[in-house]
C-alpha cells in the first residue's frame, strides 16, 4: 500500500466550477500537510499548508485535513482556466531531530475549460 | 537571476555518456535537494544537502553522484545511466532542513528533462 494515494486524473471542469482534489494516506504519524501546484514545464510551488486537522482558507482555496479518516482535500472555488495545473499533495511527520522527509502524492491533473 | 535555476533544461544522453546537471539558488538558502519526477509516480527524493553536507541519500544508485561545493550550487553527475533513469530531475532549496517543516516550503527549479537512449 502506498503511503499517499492520489487520483492522477485528469479532472476536467468548466470555468466557475468548484473543484475538489483529494489524497488519502496510511501513516498516522503525518502531522504536516501541503498542497503544491505544478504548471506544465515548471517546478512545483507551495500553494497551501496545514498542521494537524482542520481547515485553512486562502482566497479561492480551502485546504481541509481529516486525520481521523486520513484524508485531505483542496477545494478551489470559482475555478479559472489559469488554475489548470497538476496539484500535488505532500505530507510529513513531526520530527525534532532535524530533517523531515516530505512524502508526495502522484499529483492530480486539473483542466479548467473556458 | 532569481529563485532556483537549473541547467540544462533538456538533456539526451547515451548509456555510456557522462553528463552533469547544475542547480543554482539565489534565495540565500542553506539546504538543497535533488528529486526525480517520473510519469504517474510521486516525487522521489534522491539527495539532501544542508550547509554543504550531505544529510540524506535515499538509496540512490551510484551512477548518480551529487556534488555541493557551496550552499548556492548543487550538481548531479550522471554516468552509465539506464533508459529507466529518463525523467524530470528537479532541484529544490529551503532555508535549512531544521526549519519547522510546517511551512513545507521547498522552492523548486523548472527541472532538467533527461532522456537516456
Amino acid at each position: 500500500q502506498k503511503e499517499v494515494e492520489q487520483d492522477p486524473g485528469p479532472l476536467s471542469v468548466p470555468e466557475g466550477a468548484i473543484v475538489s482534489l483529494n489524497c488519502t494516506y496510511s501513516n498516522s504519524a503525518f502531522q504536516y500537510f501541503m498542497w503544491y501546484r505544478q504548471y506544465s514545464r515548471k517546478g512545483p510551488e507551495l500553494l497551501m499548508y496545514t498542521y494537524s486537522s482542520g481547515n485553512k482558507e486562502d482566497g479561492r482555496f480551502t485546504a481541509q485535513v481529516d486525520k481521523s479518516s486520513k484524508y485531505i482535500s483542496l477545494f478551489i472555488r470559482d475555478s479559472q482556466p489559469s488554475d489548470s495545473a497538476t496539484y500535488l499533495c505532500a505530507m510529513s511527520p513531526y520530527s525534532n531531530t532535524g530533517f523531515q522527509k516530505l512524502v508526495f502524492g502522484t499529483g492530480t491533473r486539473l483542466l479548467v475549460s473556458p | 537571476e532569481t529563485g532556483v535555476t537549473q541547467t540544462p533544461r533538456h538533456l539526451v544522453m547515451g548509456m555510456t555518456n557522462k553528463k552533469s546537471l547544475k542547480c543554482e539558488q539565489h534565495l540565500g538558502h542553506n539546504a538543497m535537494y535533488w528529486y526525480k519526477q517520473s510519469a504517474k509516480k510521486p516525487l522521489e527524493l534522491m539527495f539532501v544537502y544542508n550547509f554543504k553536507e550531505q544529510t540524506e541519500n535515499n538509496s540512490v544508485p551510484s551512477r548518480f553522484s551529487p556534488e555541493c561545493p557551496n550552499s548556492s550550487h548543487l550538481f548531479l553527475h550522471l554516468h552509465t545511466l539506464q533508459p529507466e533513469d529518463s525523467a524530470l530531475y528537479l532541484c529544490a532549496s529551503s532555508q535549512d532542513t531544521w526549519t519547522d517543516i510546517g511551512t513545507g516550503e521547498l522552492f523548486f527549479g523548472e527541472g532538467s528533462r533527461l532522456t537516456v537512449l
Side-chain angles (χ1 to χ4, degrees):
Chain A
Q1 182 185 9
K2 292 180 184 176
E3 274 195 292
V4 178
E5 298 273 3
Q6 186 175 12
D7 188 330
L11 176 62
S12 296
V13 301
E15 183 175 356
I18 297 174
V19 174
S20 173
L21 304 166
N22 311 294
C23 288
T24 58
Y25 62 94
S26 58
N27 188 345
S28 58
F30 288 146
Q31 296 280 354
Y32 297 96
F33 304 91
M34 298 122 218
W35 287 95
Y36 280 79
R37 178 176 60 194
Q38 185 174 19
Y39 290 114
S40 181
R41 298 187 182 84
K42 300 288 187 182
E45 58 180 345
L46 182 66
L47 191 60
M48 293 191 73
Y49 75 90
T50 53
Y51 170 69
S52 195
S53 287
N55 292 359
K56 185 172 184 178
E57 189 173 323
D58 184 2
R60 297 184 296 110
F61 299 88
T62 300
Q64 196 172 80
V65 174
D66 181 349
K67 291 188 70 182
S68 61
S69 302
K70 297 191 179 66
Y71 189 88
I72 70 170
S73 300
L74 177 70
F75 298 97
I76 307 175
R77 290 183 299 281
D78 188 25
S79 57
Q80 302 295 309
S82 58
D83 295 326
S84 297
T86 296
Y87 290 80
L88 307 166
C89 63
M91 47 199 81
S92 75
Y94 173 77
S95 171
N96 61 359
T97 59
F99 179 64
Q100 297 161 40
K101 181 179 174 181
L102 276 179
V103 181
F104 283 86
T106 54
T108 298
R109 188 174 169 213
L110 172 67
L111 302 171
V112 182
S113 55
Chain B
E1 293 268 18
T2 59
V4 180
T5 304
Q6 290 187 243
T7 55
R9 294 291 311 278
H10 300 274
L11 179 62
V12 179
M13 57 187 291
M15 290 192 285
T16 57
N17 292 158
K18 288 184 182 181
K19 297 286 184 182
S20 295
L21 306 180
K22 178 184 176 183
C23 177
E24 183 174 2
Q25 58 94 2
H26 306 270
L27 300 168
H29 289 163
N30 298 304
M32 296 189 78
Y33 309 74
W34 280 116
Y35 280 88
K36 177 182 179 182
Q37 188 173 36
S38 304
K40 296 185 176 11
K41 291 185 178 180
L43 275 176
E44 180 183 342
L45 179 66
M46 299 176 73
F47 302 102
V48 181
Y49 280 82
N50 198 38
F51 292 91
K52 301 189 299 178
E53 299 297 320
Q54 188 181 121
T55 57
E56 295 284 326
N57 177 336
N58 199 29
S59 303
V60 180
S62 59
R63 58 186 184 270
F64 294 91
S65 176
E67 179 189 359
C68 188
N70 54 62
S71 292
S72 299
H73 294 85
L74 185 65
F75 295 87
L76 188 62
H77 304 299
L78 314 171
H79 175 52
T80 323
L81 294 191
Q82 305 298 311
E84 60 265 27
D85 296 322
S86 298
L88 181 69
Y89 289 85
L90 288 162
C91 174
S93 71
S94 65
Q95 186 58 48
D96 57 56
T97 62
W98 302 317
T99 299
D100 184 349
I101 201 68
T103 64
E105 188 141 29
L106 294 173
F107 292 79
F108 285 89
E110 295 187 333
S112 294
R113 173 71 62 184
L114 173 66
T115 302
V116 181
L117 302 176

